[in-house]
Amino acid sequence: MSAASPPAPPSRPAHNYSGLWTFLRLLGGWLTVAALAYLLWMPGEDFGWTKMMFVWILLTLVADEFAGWFGYMGLALGVLPFLYAGTPEQWFVIFPLIGGALFALLILKHAGGPFVLPFGAALFAGAILGAAKFGVKLDPSLKLPLSRSFQEVAILPMLGVVAFSFVRQLISMIVRGSRRRHEARAARASAANTPPVNTAATPTPSPAPKPVTPPVPAETTLTETTTFSAQPEVRVEGQPLTTKAPDPNATMIDLDLDHLAVDDLPRKN
């Protein structure tokens, strides 16, 4: 019988921070969306179209880092400058062009992991540079994308947030992979340290045998038969027993019955 292994010490309960992390994400997302709505709804006197476009691109992508639907909310807030009394004339070009590029970037970002982000950034920048190159050919009045300040204000905040998102997702992927490998090693170590079950120490009780009903024997009748000799009992008293040699010439009929010994008489069974 092998000795039982000592019980493992109780492990400390793991703290679950998922609820706190969810609360912080929601709080950060709502604060970012609220700040974006305020800046687009009530811009200051010196808050021109360049700053409005910079804030719209930057805060929309930052809000998307907290949750995907925060990014789409920030994208939809681009209509607020149209409700403002002093809407910049350039916003009629910025909203469809930057809004379409942002929407394509968000769709591609949500479709995959960190390795699709460079393609999303290239798509966003390609839309801006393509409008600058081919926009005038399509519409001679579309000269805003040709401005270098427009291109820098549109592309630089996008590159900064996309680079941050790439690093964040890559670190998160590495941490999750390391955690899964650690859990797999812990499971294998726990399985290896589990003592085998000793069947000799704790025998398994065998099931009780089912009662067997003996078969009922057939009724038999024993008949005792007593056989009596038909020959009467012969007693010889007072006469000595002598043995006489039989005559060799005599026949079996001439034999005298007196020569028979008393012991040869039949007895009663």
Side-chain angles (χ1 to χ4, degrees):
M1 181 185 300
S2 61
S5 60
S11 58
R12 295 181 179 178
H15 298 284
N16 188 3
Y17 296 103
S18 59
L20 178 60
W21 177 244
T22 302
F23 171 75
L24 292 177
R25 291 180 61 185
L26 293 176
L27 180 62
W30 282 116
L31 289 177
T32 305
V33 170
L36 177 61
Y38 176 79
L39 294 174
L40 292 180
W41 174 253
M42 299 181 65
E45 295 181 358
D46 57 344
F47 203 77
W49 64 269
T50 55
K51 294 181 181 179
M52 291 176 63
M53 185 175 68
F54 181 88
V55 167
W56 187 34
I57 297 172
L58 179 67
L59 294 185
T60 298
L61 295 177
V62 170
D64 187 72
E65 290 298 306
F66 294 101
W69 51 282
F70 283 129
Y72 294 113
M73 289 178 63
L75 179 63
L77 290 178
V79 300
L80 292 179
F82 292 112
L83 306 177
Y84 180 62
T87 304
E89 182 182 357
Q90 294 84 355
W91 201 257
F92 291 93
V93 178
I94 293 172
F95 179 74
L97 179 59
I98 300 300
L102 274 176
F103 182 74
L105 174 58
L106 293 177
I107 290 293
L108 194 60
K109 178 184 177 183
H110 299 159
F115 300 105
V116 301
L117 288 176
F119 299 98
L123 180 62
F124 184 92
I128 303 300
L129 298 178
K133 184 175 182 180
F134 302 103
V136 180
K137 297 179 180 180
L138 299 176
D139 187 359
S141 62
L142 192 62
K143 298 180 179 180
L144 183 62
L146 293 175
S147 172
R148 186 172 182 84
S149 61
F150 176 86
Q151 298 175 7
E152 291 178 355
V153 171
I155 295 176
L156 289 180
M158 179 272 301
L159 290 178
V161 180
V162 167
F164 170 78
S165 180
F166 177 81
V167 174
R168 180 190 62 82
Q169 294 188 37
L170 189 62
I171 293 176
S172 179
M173 181 185 299
I174 295 174
V175 170
R176 287 196 302 267
S178 177
R179 185 180 304 169
R180 284 194 296 266
R181 289 191 296 269
H182 177 71
E183 292 176 354
R185 286 195 299 266
R188 289 194 296 267
S190 176
N193 294 333
T194 302
V197 179
N198 192 352
T199 56
T202 56
T204 304
S206 59
K210 297 181 179 180
V212 180
T213 304
V216 180
E219 295 183 358
T220 56
T221 304
L222 299 178
T223 305
E224 294 184 358
T225 305
T226 305
T227 306
F228 296 94
S229 175
Q231 204 168 11
E233 183 179 358
V234 179
R235 295 192 177 199
V236 180
E237 296 180 357
Q239 295 182 0
L241 295 177
T242 58
T243 303
K244 183 178 180 181
D247 188 1
N249 296 324
T251 61
M252 186 176 297
I253 300 176
D254 296 336
L255 293 176
D256 190 2
L257 295 177
D258 294 336
H259 298 287
L260 296 175
V262 178
D263 295 335
D264 294 336
L265 294 178
R267 295 180 181 180
K268 183 179 179 181
N269 292 332

